[in-house]
Amino acid sequence: MNTLGMIALVIDDYDVAISHYVNDLGFTLIEDTVLSPEKRWVVVAPSSQGARILLAKAANEAQVAAIGNSTGGRVGFFMYTTNFNETYEGYKSKGIEFVETPRQEAYGQVVVFKDKYGNKWDLIEQK
């Protein structure tokens, strides 16, 4: 059996990114290990189920240019919730930017938001 364990998001500052994903989006900090003076292994996750996110600090100009645009402007990340309204209102109160109003689709309620870096996420409560 194969499973997706982790994805990487390129960020500009470890501590700022940790604060955003943990304090604003409600993720849990799983690991923060110093590997060198410039590099840390920082892993966050929204829950104990599903993939984790490696927050990878940009190390060169090409990586800096990719911050917030790893999917070419498309929604690239999908956050499932069991309480859409509570999560939506909580994110709004934290200043999370939504690019649309919530909508009902055949698969459930959904709204697109941007994280601190501009990456687009679907917030979804499945039917």
Side-chain angles (χ1 to χ4, degrees), residues 1-104:
M1 177 181 86
N2 297 328
T3 186
L4 179 62
M6 194 171 342
I7 60 168
L9 283 179
V10 183
I11 49 96
D12 59 356
D13 180 276
Y14 290 115
D15 294 321
V16 171
I18 290 169
S19 177
H20 173 63
Y21 287 99
V22 172
N23 297 326
D24 298 338
L25 297 179
F27 289 22
T28 298
L29 178 62
I30 305 296
E31 184 176 354
D32 184 357
T33 302
V34 175
L35 302 176
S36 74
E38 302 82 27
K39 189 174 182 179
R40 289 157 54 183
W41 185 261
V42 177
V43 179
V44 296
S47 72
S48 61
Q49 299 175 1
R52 296 175 175 190
I53 297 173
L54 173 68
L55 300 176
K57 185 176 177 183
N60 58 46
E61 290 301 316
Q63 291 176 13
V64 168
I67 293 173
N69 194 30
S70 61
T71 60
R74 292 184 57 113
V75 171
F77 308 98
F78 304 84
M79 175 83 66
Y80 295 111
T81 181
T82 56
N83 190 326
F84 184 91
N85 292 330
E86 180 180 297
T87 305
Y88 175 70
E89 292 299 329
Y91 283 6
K92 278 181 32 179
S93 74
K94 298 281 187 171
I96 301 302
E97 179 186 351
F98 289 89
V99 301
E100 63 180 5
T101 56
R103 57 190 157 81
Q104 193 65 45

